[in-house]
Amino acid sequence: MKKLLIFFLIIVPLYLSGQSNPPKEEIRGAWIATVSNIDWPSNVGSSSSIIQQQKQQLLFYLDELKATGINTIYFQIRTTCDALYNSAYEPWSAYLTGNQGTPPSDPNYDPLTFAIEECHKRGMELHAWVNPYRALLSSGSVGSLSSQHIINTHPQWIIKCDGTQYRFLNPGLPQVRNYVTNVCMDIVNNYDIDGLHMDDYFYPYSSYGTYNDDTTFANHPNGFTVKSSWRKNNVNMLLRQIYDSLLIVKPHVKFSISPGGNPMNFGDVYIDPAAWLAGTYTDESGTYHDGDPYIDVIIPQIYWYDYWWNYAMNYWNDASLLNGRDFYVGTAAYRLGDSGWPATALGEQINDCRSKPLIKGNVYFSAKSITNNIAGCKDTLRNNYYKFEAIPYVMDWKDILEPNQPENVRYERIPGTNVSYIIWDTPLPSMDGDTAARYVIYRFNNSSIVPGDLDDATKIIGVQGLKEINPEPSDTGSNTRYFVVTSLDRNANESVMSNVLTLNSPDEPILVYPQNLAYDQPDTIICLWSLT
């Protein structure tokens, strides 16, 4: 009897794995949440040993996220009118030291400074994530608060929700808007952040309980007669005030907000993304404005799969709504593995985002979901979608002037070590005073490199803040490699390429002793070799 052997050829399209023409420009972000110690720090306290543990855990996150392909960190530093940094206005957070108002024992330890420095070394952006109004969680205790907390220093600014302990700053008060703006600008003025970021907690969700702001509405109506419209505009005025302040002090700092992704809920929390993106609001004098947007990025939390994902994406992916501003998708890495979330969900959502030109990347909640590799998400990102590094998009309404290129790219031994690196000199400042914020390193197999070749993300071998790199070996089989380096400024404008550095593989070492193919050698032997 004859046997028929049938061979099946299984073809997996490259686009399914995300590696066909991977994007060179893409936001790949992760939220590091500190409220209730969701992500960081796992160990709270003020002692030197706890500080070292906190630093090591943060370094672990940054190393793992960088290796996964993440290029933007949203680091939560203000959760409930507290501070995980050295604030001029608010007490140290209990989520850091264990007791609100207790500083770290080391006066030089500032988690925000530490996070910024370490992110910048790795070529990652650091966006300071603040909550604008929340003062106490639903299950919180006023008795646990520092005497310097805003609930104790300005109780007249606080609204409490009935039935819970939830308290928030009253958005209708001009004093509150000034206070929150001062808190934000204190961060911007004193820290080298790349962005200022707010989450979706403005007016509280109805599940937190009812509240009464009738007196504020009566005293500060700003021309409104409908309370829901007034509440939305209170938020709008705060955001406009912060954005205008950023433009004056540090216009390169990016201002982003991540509202809930379902537009059906906007009325519940009195947010108005269409106004933020269109530039409309009503000021204290009742004057109507219709001008420039007052946020740079919208990051809606589209934390669903299937129907609700499609519904929300259709709403947000609208050029007339976005008005030329950036749109990243807040993505629910924490839900991977839940019922109704197949293992392929993350890849499907990334492919969907990449198929829509208005979407410029994804931000994942939260960091530990990636580092814990939930449902294999870290492997999926690292091996399939983020195998090659990407740089942020240029925000052309901020700055489009290119920085100067790095100079004198060369291969040298680092003094005092036995290791050689590719190194380069800091570029000269450009006409607007900018210099390099980070560097992009490319590797090619030929020396005839033209500017268009830099569009190929597969040639990128590093994006970093340091002026040196020890490249991983290449598996192309060629003995000669060619390297160029470019500069990125704070707005991700990229310079022209540097000089081309040619590196040849070293000669094969020559065995000196014992003689090649020698036999009958002792069990223990010392081998000697030479390069010539």
Side-chain angles (χ1 to χ4, degrees):
M1 182 178 182
K2 294 182 178 180
K3 296 182 179 179
L4 179 63
L5 299 180
I6 301 175
F7 294 89
F8 292 94
L9 178 62
I10 300 176
I11 301 175
V12 180
L14 281 178
Y15 73 85
L16 290 180
S17 67
Q19 290 308 310
S20 177
N21 299 318
K24 176 183 173 179
E25 295 175 307
E26 188 173 51
I27 294 299
R28 302 165 179 178
W31 280 292
I32 297 182
T34 59
V35 62
S36 302
N37 303 105
I38 290 174
D39 289 316
W40 183 89
S42 294
N43 298 308
V44 300
S46 60
S47 68
S48 59
S49 61
I50 293 294
I51 290 172
Q52 289 307 309
Q53 292 172 22
Q54 291 176 351
K55 286 182 175 181
Q56 289 304 310
Q57 186 188 16
L58 193 53
L59 291 177
F60 168 78
Y61 271 125
L62 298 183
D63 286 339
E64 285 292 299
L65 293 170
K66 173 71 174 179
T68 304
I70 299 300
N71 58 20
T72 307
I73 299 297
Y74 297 85
F75 183 45
Q76 190 174 26
I77 61 166
R78 182 180 189 258
T79 67
T80 50
C81 296
D82 55 358
L84 285 91
Y85 65 98
N86 192 3
S87 172
Y89 292 89
E90 297 180 320
W92 284 96
S93 175
Y95 299 129
L96 182 75
T97 64
N99 293 290
Q100 192 178 89
T102 299
S105 60
D106 181 354
N108 295 316
Y109 175 51
D110 186 317
L112 181 54
T113 297
F114 181 74
I116 291 169
E117 292 174 351
E118 294 299 329
C119 280
H120 287 176
K121 287 178 188 177
R122 292 160 175 78
M124 307 165 85
E125 289 193 358
L126 187 288
H127 294 235
W129 166 16
V130 302
N131 181 275
Y133 297 123
R134 185 174 59 195
L136 190 66
L137 299 181
S138 298
S139 58
S141 168
V142 173
S144 67
L145 300 179
S146 162
S147 61
Q148 298 305 308
H149 191 271
I150 201 72
I151 287 177
N152 291 319
T153 60
H154 288 282
Q156 72 278 15
W157 294 357
I158 302 299
I159 296 178
K160 181 183 179 299
C161 292
D162 295 335
T164 75
Q165 289 300 313
Y166 193 90
R167 288 167 170 80
F168 63 103
L169 289 168
N170 186 346
L173 293 175
Q175 306 95 302
V176 164
R177 291 195 290 275
N178 292 336
Y179 175 76
V180 175
T181 301
N182 289 338
V183 168
C184 291
M185 296 313 297
D186 178 52
I187 297 166
V188 172
N189 282 313
N190 291 300
Y191 294 90
D192 190 24
I193 59 174
D194 299 286
L196 181 69
H197 177 70
M198 290 183 176
D199 53 15
D200 62 329
Y201 292 97
F202 291 98
Y203 277 90
Y205 287 92
S206 58
S207 59
Y208 295 138
T210 59
Y211 54 88
N212 189 322
D213 57 356
D214 290 346
T215 300
T216 308
F217 185 33
N219 292 337
H220 304 279
N222 296 330
F224 285 88
T225 58
V226 178
K227 183 179 283 189
S228 60
S229 300
W230 170 77
R231 285 174 175 169
K232 282 186 178 182
N233 193 65
N234 291 333
V235 175
N236 297 350
M237 284 195 291
L238 170 69
L239 302 185
R240 184 62 181 249
Q241 186 169 325
I242 292 172
Y243 191 69
D244 286 348
S245 300
L246 288 174
L247 292 179
I248 294 170
V249 176
K250 288 185 180 179
H252 69 266
V253 172
K254 304 167 185 177
F255 189 32
S256 61
I257 298 181
S258 58
N262 187 350
M264 293 182 180
N265 294 332
F266 291 172
D268 186 21
V269 291
Y270 305 101
I271 64 172
D272 193 7
W276 310 340
L277 293 160
T280 58
Y281 73 107
T282 303
D283 67 14
E284 299 288 349
S285 65
T287 304
Y288 182 81
H289 294 262
D290 187 356
D292 295 329
Y294 41 93
I295 63 172
D296 296 309
V297 187
I298 195 80
I299 315 176
Q301 299 172 33
I302 307 180
Y303 288 176
W304 305 283
Y305 182 69
D306 288 341
Y307 171 80
W308 286 107
W309 165 271
N310 293 324
Y311 166 77
M313 290 289 278
N314 287 334
Y315 173 84
W316 290 104
N317 191 49
D318 182 341
S320 63
L321 170 69
L322 298 173
N323 197 22
R325 293 300 160 107
D326 280 1
F327 167 31
Y328 318 149
V329 175
T331 305
Y334 75 100
R335 297 197 64 183
L336 293 169
D338 286 357
S339 175
W341 283 72
T344 58
L346 186 62
E348 292 174 20
Q349 291 186 339
I350 293 173
N351 283 332
D352 190 21
C353 291
R354 287 181 174 177
S355 72
K356 295 176 170 61
L358 295 178
I359 299 176
K360 297 187 175 181
N362 298 75
V363 182
Y364 301 96
F365 189 85
S366 64
K368 71 178 181 183
S369 302
I370 297 176
T371 58
N372 290 346
N373 203 22
I374 292 178
C377 66
K378 179 173 70 174
D379 298 334
T380 295
L381 294 174
R382 179 183 296 177
N383 299 328
N384 297 330
Y385 293 92
Y386 297 168
K387 184 176 181 180
F388 302 100
E389 292 196 62
I391 63 177
Y393 281 86
V394 173
M395 294 181 177
D396 56 13
W397 58 91
K398 285 184 172 289
D399 166 33
I400 58 173
L401 186 63
E402 297 175 357
N404 287 317
Q405 71 269 33
E407 298 182 336
N408 193 22
V409 178
R410 59 203 184 273
Y411 188 66
E412 284 187 0
R413 178 164 293 180
I414 303 300
T417 75
N418 292 319
V419 180
S420 294
Y421 283 79
I422 297 173
I423 62 175
W424 52 90
D425 298 336
T426 302
L428 296 172
S430 58
M431 292 181 62
D432 62 353
D434 281 352
T435 187
R438 55 188 62 85
Y439 302 94
V440 188
I441 303 94
Y442 300 83
R443 176 169 54 201
F444 296 90
N445 294 326
N446 63 81
S447 60
S448 302
I449 306 167
V450 297
D453 294 336
L454 302 187
D455 294 334
D456 184 355
T458 67
K459 304 304 181 185
I460 297 176
I461 62 168
V463 179
Q464 60 185 46
L466 302 176
K467 295 184 293 181
E468 61 185 39
I469 189 170
N470 186 5
E472 295 290 330
S474 173
D475 58 0
T476 61
S478 173
N479 291 325
T480 305
R481 308 284 186 275
Y482 304 90
F483 298 85
V484 297
V485 184
T486 62
S487 305
L488 295 178
D489 68 11
R490 298 301 292 261
N491 193 34
N493 291 296
E494 187 172 15
S495 73
V496 298
M497 67 184 184
S498 68
N499 58 292
V500 179
L501 173 67
T502 302
L503 285 184
N504 296 309
S505 299
D507 295 330
E508 183 178 318
I510 299 171
L511 185 64
V512 174
Y513 179 85
Q515 183 179 357
N516 194 27
L517 301 179
Y519 58 92
D520 291 336
Q521 298 299 306
D523 293 339
T524 302
I525 192 170
I526 297 176
C527 295
L528 303 176
W529 59 88
S530 172
L531 291 176
T532 58

